[in-house]
Amino acid sequence: MRTDALVRRQKIIMTACELYRSKHHDSLTMENIAEKAGVGIATLYRNFPDRFSLDMACAQFLFEGVIGLEEEAVAAFDNNPREVWISFNKALIDKGLGSLVPALAPRSLDELPPEVSVLREKTKVLTEALIEHGKKHKLVHADIDARTYIVGLITVSRTPLPALAAVTENLSTTLLGIFLAGLEHGGQPV
């Protein structure tokens, strides 16, 4: 692929991700995405023949970014555990994890294309390593597993309704703080 075409493709992906962070996935059309990316609809369809292929390109982009953050956090964790743990989780929220995962996840993980499944599996392994580091440094309770952690993080980092966001400044970081404190103490269903 030519460099200019690759840059254009990346811009479409990044624009779609940004729109998915701020608007409900189903309310956006391919035309909205093309317009916001500054490309013609034919260019968008030349790169992504349908919405699913665009979504999976966005998922791949998200997984690649998360993997980079995870690898950095695993490598640095033991040097300054609490700071690395908090910074890593803030970075995931900044990437829009809570908005993008629900927007991009298919009904079944079996629907993920092979290249995205491989990235998902790598993310899973790295997340498990981070949870183990967190347990070692008493930042994560022994009864917390990687699945509980990721579902919880996605839940607390979802974009709040505008009315709720107006009630509290820095709602996402406040909820993240509560969530991370809860991870330290463990959680049992009530």
Side-chain angles (χ1 to χ4, degrees), residues 19-34:
L19 287 169
Y20 293 164
R21 282 186 198 101
S22 60
K23 307 221 183 295
H24 191 275
H25 179 272
D26 294 337
S27 72
L28 291 167
T29 65
M30 295 290 267
E31 289 80 9
N32 298 138
I33 295 166

Side-chain angles (χ1 to χ4, degrees), residues 73-150:
V74 166
F77 211 102
D78 290 333
N79 297 331
N80 194 344
R82 184 167 297 280
E83 183 178 315
V84 169
W85 183 236
I86 291 169
S87 296
F88 168 72
N89 282 281
K90 282 183 178 179
L92 290 180
I93 287 177
D94 290 344
K95 280 202 160 300
L97 186 75
S99 302
L100 291 174
V101 169
L104 300 174
R107 285 182 239 251
S108 166
L109 295 175
D110 295 334
E111 295 176 31
L112 290 174
E115 63 275 11
V116 178
S117 286
V118 167
L119 294 172
R120 179 184 170 276
E121 194 57 39
K122 185 170 184 178
T123 302
K124 180 181 167 194
V125 169
L126 287 165
T127 300
E128 289 168 351
L130 283 167
I131 293 300
E132 289 307 312
H133 278 293
K135 288 177 180 181
K136 177 176 134 185
H137 293 285
K138 308 289 188 226
L139 297 169
V140 177
H141 192 273
D143 68 0
I144 303 293
D145 63 15
R147 286 183 313 198
T148 301
Y149 161 72
I150 198 65

